[in-house]
Structures are given as C-alpha cells and as structure tokens.
C-alpha cells in the first residue's frame, strides 16, 4: 500500500508545476550577525552576545517566519554598531604626546616621608615612587616640581630614578614656598616602569644658630610625564584600513573621501550593488557631523553606523521579480544566490570572490557553482556548518540548559559539557571535510576527544585539553548515536530516558517522529517507597505501557531507547542498574531483535535510505530558511541522487545548492480586490 501511494504521489508531483516556495524577509540571527561583522570589518569579538535569544522554527534559528524584530533588539543593534566602530576605527593618535601628572602626596613613599597639605615632605633619606605605564617606546620628558628646606653647607640633593637606576641628580636650591620645576629628557621603553624621586643628603643639626637652617628636607609637589615627544604615528589597525579605503589628501576633499569610502563599504555590507543615490543618502550624515566640527574619522562613524543598522544589512533581502513565470516563480538574482550560498555554508556574508562572480553573472553556471561549493567547504569558515546546522539538528545546544544531578553524576562539570559539545561539532566537520558517506555519521570508527572526555568514555592515552581525532576500537562507541552530548540531552536530570532517546532517533535519524501524546496520557509513575533501588527503569516503563493510551507510541519509542540503556544520564558506560545487569535488548515493531547499541546501530545503518531522506529534509530546511516536509519533491530528488553516489555528504550539499527550491523563489501572491 505504501509503495503504491508513493509511486502515485511521485507521478502527481512530476506532472505538477514546480514550486520553490517563498521565504519571507529574513533577519540575521545572532551567529550570522557576529560572523558577518567579523568578515565585513575584521573585529574579533562577539557584539551580539547580549542580544535577545533568537526564536526557533522547524528546529533551527534561521527560519524567516519566526525571526522577529522586537524594539529591544533594535536598541541592541544601535549599541552594537557603535561598539563595533569604536573598536575598528582609530580616532586618536596613540603616538601623540600626552601629559600625565602624579601628585606626590598620592604616591607611595619610604619611611621618613609625610604629606603636608598638597605636597609630600621627605625629612630623611628616602624616595617617592610609583609604577607608571608608558604606552610605547620613545623619548619622554620627566618633570618634578620641588623645593627644599636649606640647612648645612650644601643644597638638598634630589635624584631621579628609573627602575631603580639613578638617572640624574639635581641641587634643589628653590625653597618650600617658591618651588621650581626640574626636568629630564630620556628614552624609556614601553610598559610599566618604576619612577622615583629620591632624597640623598639628609642633614639635621639642632644646635645651628639659625633655627631655619637646622633641618634639610626635600619637598615634592608633583611628578609630570610628557611624551613620547619623538614617536612617529604607527600604521592604523587592519580594521581601520579595511574601512578607510580613501582619505582627504592630495586635493581630495573630506566629502569626496567620504563618498569613496561608502561606495566601497556599503555594497559589501548590503551584499549587492548599491546605487549612487543610496551612497549620497548616507553621505549626508557625514556632512552633518562634519559641519558640527567632528574630526574626519569620528564624523565617518555616523554614516557607517547608519549602514550597520540599515534593513539592507540586518536582513537578507530577496525581492520579487517582474520576470516571474505564470506561477509567479523566478530565479534568484546572482547576489541573492551568493548570499543564500554563503549563509548556508558559512553562516556569514559572501566573500570577495563570490561577490565578484555575482557581479559578472557567473553563478548561473552549475559548474561554477559546484566549484564554489568545493572551495567554500575547504575554507575554515565552513566550521560554522557544524556549529550551526549540526548542533541544532542534533539538539546539542540544549547542553547549555540541561542540569544532570551532581549527586548522581558527580563527574559532570562545565569542562566535560564543553568537550561533549565540541566532539559533535568537530566530528561533523570532519565528515564534511573528507566528503565521507552519511552512513559514517552513524557508524564511524573515529571521533574527537580531549583528556577530560576520553576519561569519561574510559579511553586511555589521550592527554591534554585540546580536541584531537582518536581511532575507536571499542564497538560501544562510534557515530552520533553513542556520543555523550546526544545521550545527555535526551536524558532526565536523575536518570536515563529510553522514551526520549527513542523519540530522538525516530525524529532526527529516521524522520518519522511519533505523534504527540494524547491529553489523557499520564506521566511515568514514580517509584513506590518499597521499590526504591530495587526496580529498574525498564520495569517501570513496561508497567507504564500496559495503559492502552500509552502503548501505541511507547511500543515504537521505548525499544529503540532500551538499546542505549548501557549509557547513563551523561553518556558514560555502565553495566548495572539498581544492582542488576543492564538489559539493553529489545524487539522493534517490525519484529527485529537486538541486544545493545552496537546491534541497534547496525539495524539503523541498514535503514540508510530513511536516514538520508530525513537528513536531506533537515539540511534543506536549514538552507532555505523555511519548513519543508519529509516527502516534499526536492527531498525526494536529492535523496535519489544521494543513493546513486554512495550517500556522500558533499553530494548532499551540492544537490541542495543546485536544487530548484534553493535557486528560485515564488513572488508574493497579490490579492485582487
């Protein structure tokens, strides 16, 4: 019956006009915003860290239907644009001489010194000192305003010291009430330096006839540092140079330089050609800031910030096409296709090569498009495919919120959690990088571990915190099914959950999720007092399935979940539960029996066509930014192509990119009055 229905629907689909669907205007999500700013400007931080969380639809956070723009987020965009530009643009000259004053009474001093009003008096041999930071190496002028109480037959001796070394000695002939400035010019290396003013010839004679000449003291008002006085202005940072492609010089006015900068920056930010009128609209903001007396770099921040909060930057805009066919379908523009491709594989903006191909209309060539896919998958930015797609498909982002009970699982900590997450990401990216079969996602003989995660798995000879590829020789591990991250997010805080694990396999691996439980379905009954520690979870679930309302779904989910019962709530191996050997055997609804995760994995590998189709539906949803059905026409066509090419993941990516749904778009339906 199913085969007949499938064949009939295929004939109907083949005869119907193709429909690529319609993707609504899509806002950049947090990850895409961060990556886009990074590649556009070059800043290396996370400006979207405090943005509100993105809503999720169809399991992903890049779905246009749910990416709203609340007022709070608009405020965050404004603040983030300012923060990005402040970090990227150098508006002050770090080599410009600066003057810094350090009041003596606020500095440290040795014994024999005391504050007197707004000065510090050294009445015994000693020094005033402080740790002063010098931004760059250069010549500095060190000034000391000082006076002395004269006594004996010589003036007070004041020595300037740098890092404990005497640099220069002065005879202080000025008085306490008529102080003078004593200065020294010297080369000082960059970094924190100990600067001191020392008094070296204390004198005290209470028998002197003149009471004013009995005690020699050194009085210091302040130390002043000026410089560097000879430094040349260093080259501005790369982020600054990336933006300022022109500057007012050699007959070029500030207005002309501004417009050149915007004409280069805005097309990259908007990921398309920008008209002269658009450039002029932003340039008027510069003119306003310039008339207010702002320096050139500071004034340029105003139009640049406007670019970074424009809808053309914050949203992935795909316009309706007047040249659409009778069904309202038209091919995407080349710049729109370049954006779809880059945000699919990199979660970021197109690079210069993609934009250049789009400008020349070269992306219409399927061979050129395939070459770009190959190039982009080899680029380090393709790591985002694991961080964004795989992490959401496998639901391991929930690791951030799951909280295994530390009394029951004392080894679970943030370091282990982070390693669990990274294992999945690195493993998926390795499958992509080597263009391996999708089947290896289920049954690979390697994974990525560090010492912390290897110890959790019981694998020896892995040392250090860095993740590295490790060959697996134990059949208890292999592929995503037995990874700790997946097993942990599909457990309860205090125990495993065969139901959750079985449901996850049906949904994420086979694409056949069970229906939601009926309203009358009860929860799993708690253990009775007399059963504490004496009854296994399997026995409790078997009692739960006696209820007819629960049995129909649980008979599909639970047997699959039982195959993973050797793994505890954090994915560590165990042989016993409640003092009894773990029973990981079960019989599926189709009558096949297995014992343990290795035999269950072999059964699932045998259903690779279902797995390929389920994964195709997920990755197509992610690539299009809209929901697709498991039996949608593009899913069928891509799954057929996969079957012919050994289920290579590179083929999956290329088939998605070359699909009718990826390269075309249906116009908005106009309602006639």
């Amino acid at each position: 019956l199913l085969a007949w229905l499938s064949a009939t629907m295929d004939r109907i689909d083949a005869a119907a006009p193709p429909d690529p669907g319609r993707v609504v205007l899509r806002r950049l999500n947090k990850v895409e915003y961060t990556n886009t700013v990074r590649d556009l400007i070059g800043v290396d931080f996370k400006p979207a860290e405090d943005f509100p969380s993105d809503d999720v639809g169809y399991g992903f956070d890049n779905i246009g239907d749910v990416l709203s723009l609340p007022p709070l987020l608009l405020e965050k965009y404004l603040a983030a644009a300012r923060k990005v530009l402040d970090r990227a643009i150098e508006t002050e000259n770090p080599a410009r001489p600066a003057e810094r004053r350090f009041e003596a009474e606020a500095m440290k001093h040795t014994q024999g010194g005391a504050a007197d009003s707004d000065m510090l008096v050294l009445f015994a041999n000693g020094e005033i000192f402080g740790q002063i930071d010098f931004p760059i190496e250069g010549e500095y002028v060190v000034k000391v305003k000082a006076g002395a109480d004269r006594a004996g037959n010589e003036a007070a001796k004041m020595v300037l010291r740098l890092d404990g070394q005497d640099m220069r000695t002065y005879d202080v002939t000025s008085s306490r009430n008529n102080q003078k400035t004593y200065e020294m010019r010297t080369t000082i290396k960059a970094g924190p330096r100990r600067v001191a003013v020392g008094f070296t010839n204390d004198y005290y004679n209470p028998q002197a006839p003149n009471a004013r000449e009995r005690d020699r003291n050194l009085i210091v008002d302040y130390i002043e540092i000026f410089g560097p006085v000879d430094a040349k202005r260093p080259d501005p940072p790369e982020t600054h140079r990336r933006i300022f492609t022109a500057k007012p010089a050699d007959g070029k006015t500030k207005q002309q330089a501004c417009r050149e900068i915007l004409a280069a920056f805005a097309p990259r930010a908007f990921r398309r050609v920008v008209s002269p009128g658009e450039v002029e609209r932003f340039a008027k903001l510069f003119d306003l800031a310039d008339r207010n007396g702002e320096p050139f770099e500071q004034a340029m921040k105003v139009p640049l910030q406007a670019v970074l909060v424009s809808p053309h930057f914050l949203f992935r805009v795909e316009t309706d096409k007047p040249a659409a066919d009778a069904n309202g379908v038209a091919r995407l523009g080349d710049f729109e296709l370049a954006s779809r491709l880059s945000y699919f594989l990199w979660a970021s903006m197109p690079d210069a090569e993609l934009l250049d191909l789009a400008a020349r209309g070269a992306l219409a060539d399927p061979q050129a498009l395939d070459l770009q896919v190959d190039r982009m998958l080899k680029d380090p930015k393709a790591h985002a495919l694991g961080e964004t797609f795989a992490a959401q498909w496998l639901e391991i982002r929930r690791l951030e919120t799951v909280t295994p009970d530390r009394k029951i699982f004392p080894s679970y900590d943030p370091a282990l959690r982070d390693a669990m997450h990274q294992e999945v990401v690195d493993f998926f990216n390795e499958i992509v990088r080597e263009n391996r079969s999708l089947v290896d996602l289920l049954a690979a003989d390697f994974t990525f571990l560090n010492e912390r995660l290897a110890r959790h798995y019981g694998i020896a000879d892995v040392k250090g915190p860095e993740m590295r590829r490790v060959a697996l020789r134990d059949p208890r591990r292999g592929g995503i099914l037995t990874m700790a991250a997946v097993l942990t997010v599909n457990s309860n805080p205090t125990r495993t959950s065969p139901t959750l694990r079985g449901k996850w396999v049906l949904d994420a691996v086979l694409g056949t999720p069970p229906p939601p439980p009926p309203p009358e379905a009860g929860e799993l009954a708690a253990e009775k007092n007399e059963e504490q520690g004496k009854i296994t979870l399997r026995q409790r679930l078997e009692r739960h399935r006696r209820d007819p309302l629960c049995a129909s779904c649980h008979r599909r989910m639970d047997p699959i979940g039982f195959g993973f019962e050797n793994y505890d709530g954090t994915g560590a191996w165990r042989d016993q539960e409640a003092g009894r050997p773990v029973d990981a055997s079960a019989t599926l609804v189709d009558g096949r029996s297995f014992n343990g995760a290795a035999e269950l994995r072999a059964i699932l590998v045998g259903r690779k066509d279902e797995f390929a189709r389920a994964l195709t539906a997920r990755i197509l949803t992610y690539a299009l930014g809209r929901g697709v059905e498991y039996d949608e026409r593009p899913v069928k066509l891509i799954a057929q192509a996969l079957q012919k090419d050994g289920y290579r993941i590179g083929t999956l990516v290329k088939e998605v990119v070359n699909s009718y749904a990826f390269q075309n778009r249906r116009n908005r339906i106009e309602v006639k009055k």
Side-chain angles (χ1 to χ4, degrees), residues 507-563:
D507 187 9
V509 177
L510 299 177
T512 55
E520 300 84 2
E523 297 288 336
L524 180 65
E527 290 178 294
K528 300 176 183 178
N529 290 334
E530 62 272 15
E531 295 175 339
Q532 290 284 339
K534 299 178 181 178
I535 184 172
T536 65
L537 178 61
R538 183 185 186 111
Q539 291 171 317
R540 291 169 61 197
L541 280 169
E542 287 172 349
R543 187 167 59 193
H544 182 70
R545 287 202 304 274
R546 293 171 191 163
D547 187 337
L549 282 172
C550 306
S552 59
C553 291
H554 279 275
R555 63 191 295 266
R556 293 182 60 207
M557 298 183 291
D558 292 358
I560 296 174
F562 288 144

Side-chain angles (χ1 to χ4, degrees), residues 81-96 233-237 239-241 243-244 286 289 293-304:
R82 284 193 293 268
K83 189 185 300 183
V84 166
L85 294 173
D86 286 344
R87 289 209 183 190
I89 297 174
E90 182 182 281
T91 56
E92 299 291 336
N93 182 358
R96 182 181 300 161
R233 178 167 183 163
D235 290 335
T239 55
H240 183 102
R241 299 195 302 272
I243 295 172
F244 285 88
F286 168 84
E294 296 282 358
F296 179 71
E297 288 87 354
Q298 192 68 35
M300 277 303 304
K301 287 185 179 181
V302 182
L304 292 171

Side-chain angles (χ1 to χ4, degrees), residues 481 497-499 501-507 510 512 554-565 584-589 594 596-597 600 604 607:
L481 298 170
S497 176
T499 301
R501 290 174 175 178
K503 178 179 179 294
W504 180 85
V505 170
L506 289 173
D507 187 9
L510 299 177
T512 55
H554 279 275
R555 63 191 295 266
R556 293 182 60 207
M557 298 183 291
D558 292 358
I560 296 174
F562 288 144
F564 303 106
E565 273 297 273
S585 63
T587 301
L588 302 175
V589 290
F594 64 89
L600 174 60
L604 294 175
R607 299 173 67 174

